[in-house]
Amino acid sequence: MIRLQQVNKWYGAYHALVDVDEHIAKGEVVVICGPSGSGKSTLIRTLNRLEPIQGGHILIDGQDIHAKAMDLNRFRSRIGFVFQQFNLFPHLSVLDNCTLAPIRLRGLKPPQARREAMALLDRVGLAHKADALPANLSGGQQQRVAIARALAMQPPLMLFDEPTSALDPEMVGEVLLVMRDLARDGMTMVVVTHEMGFARDVADRVLFMDQGRVLERAAPEAFFQTPSHPRTQKFLADIRTPFSSAV
Ligand SMILES: Nc1ncnc2c1ncn2[C@@H]1O[C@H](COP(=O)(O)OP(=O)(O)OP(=O)(O)O)[C@@H](O)[C@H]1O
Ligand SMILES: [Mg+2]
């Protein structure tokens, strides 16, 4: 479904993505991990063209998404993207947050959009909050609304960039459970996260990035038990004993 061919990206003189070659199959859940600054956000942002690339190709369903002829708005509206910050429209109710794009971009009639949005809110456990404003929800609830809002565009692909990093610890689980259910329903997902429990339980494959390169890719079991690259081994050791470098 997604094919990255020799993808290279620079920020000015800084080589942020180096020869990235990956295939992601339909229905696959890929977790990207790696140290801060390794290029995880950059990579995921190239997948919906929030970032341009200077070398290589990215094909989604056979279409070169960085080709000049792409209808960018139409393309982007089809890819679900959930960020660290929830980015809900603050002046709109939860329900209206979830119906705005389907009405404007999918051309749904409001009653139909509301029916679909209510079903999605139910799926993320928030149907009872449909009339609330985002400011009156917890962080975990807001992030679940953000996921429902993305799903309302019926995306074939969902991208997540550290969706739980801004949450208080007690709210991380509820968001990861929604993501796990989405994965079990067959959604194709690319997830940047430090939640290694999620990676172990839900991912089909884990990619490890360092300095703009994908250094390792493996099924979770092999990734965690027998990482082959020394940098992966060090990364995993560091996150298992987070204070080791400070002591
Ligand atoms: N807009 C930008 N202009 C210049 N350099 C950038 C820009 N965005 C990112 N970079 C640099 O590119 C590198 C990769 O950044 P990126 O945000 O992709 O890392 P990351 O792996 O997502 O890190 P983190 O775990 O901290 O989110 C970093 O060195 C960063 O400073
Ligand atoms: Mg990042």
Side-chain angles (χ1 to χ4, degrees), residues 40-42 84 161-162 192:
K40 306 180 297 294
S41 295
T42 301
Q84 187 170 334
D161 192 356
E162 302 204 30
V192 175

Side-chain angles (χ1 to χ4, degrees), residues 9-12 14-17 32-45 51 84 161-162 192 194 209 212:
K9 175 176 180 63
W10 284 264
Y11 292 113
Y14 183 76
H15 202 170
L17 293 178
I32 305 176
C33 64
S36 182
S38 56
K40 306 180 297 294
S41 295
T42 301
L43 181 61
I44 205 168
R45 289 163 62 84
E51 293 286 354
Q84 187 170 334
D161 192 356
E162 302 204 30
V192 175
H194 298 294
M209 289 190 72

Side-chain angles (χ1 to χ4, degrees), residues 59-100:
L59 308 177
I60 296 186
D61 286 336
Q63 192 175 20
D64 185 338
I65 65 164
H66 287 264
K68 287 199 178 69
M70 274 285 301
D71 179 344
L72 191 52
N73 289 330
R74 182 148 176 269
F75 164 73
R76 266 204 204 124
S77 74
R78 295 275 291 139
I79 308 278
F81 201 158
V82 177
F83 301 81
Q84 187 170 334
Q85 294 305 333
F86 326 122
N87 288 316
L88 297 174
F89 303 115
H91 57 291
L92 294 182
S93 71
V94 162
L95 184 64
D96 289 345
N97 262 279
C98 297
T99 58
L100 186 69

Side-chain angles (χ1 to χ4, degrees), residues 7 16 26 33 46 52 56 61 63 101 121 157 165 174 178 183 204 237 239:
V7 172
K26 191 167 164 48
C33 64
T46 64
D61 286 336
Q63 192 175 20
L121 288 171
L157 166 67
S165 299
E174 67 195 51
V178 165
D204 297 302
I239 58 174

Side-chain angles (χ1 to χ4, degrees), residues 179-221:
M179 292 168 60
R180 186 199 65 186
D181 289 346
L182 199 54
R184 291 192 176 160
D185 288 345
M187 178 63 77
T188 310
M189 294 166 59
V190 181
V191 185
V192 175
T193 184
H194 298 294
E195 296 292 337
M196 292 298 118
F198 177 84
R200 192 177 281 117
D201 293 345
V202 181
D204 297 302
R205 219 142 43 93
V206 184
L207 307 187
F208 174 73
M209 289 190 72
D210 193 39
Q211 298 182 348
R213 294 174 193 272
V214 178
L215 286 189
E216 185 143 358
R217 60 185 67 65
E221 221 171 77

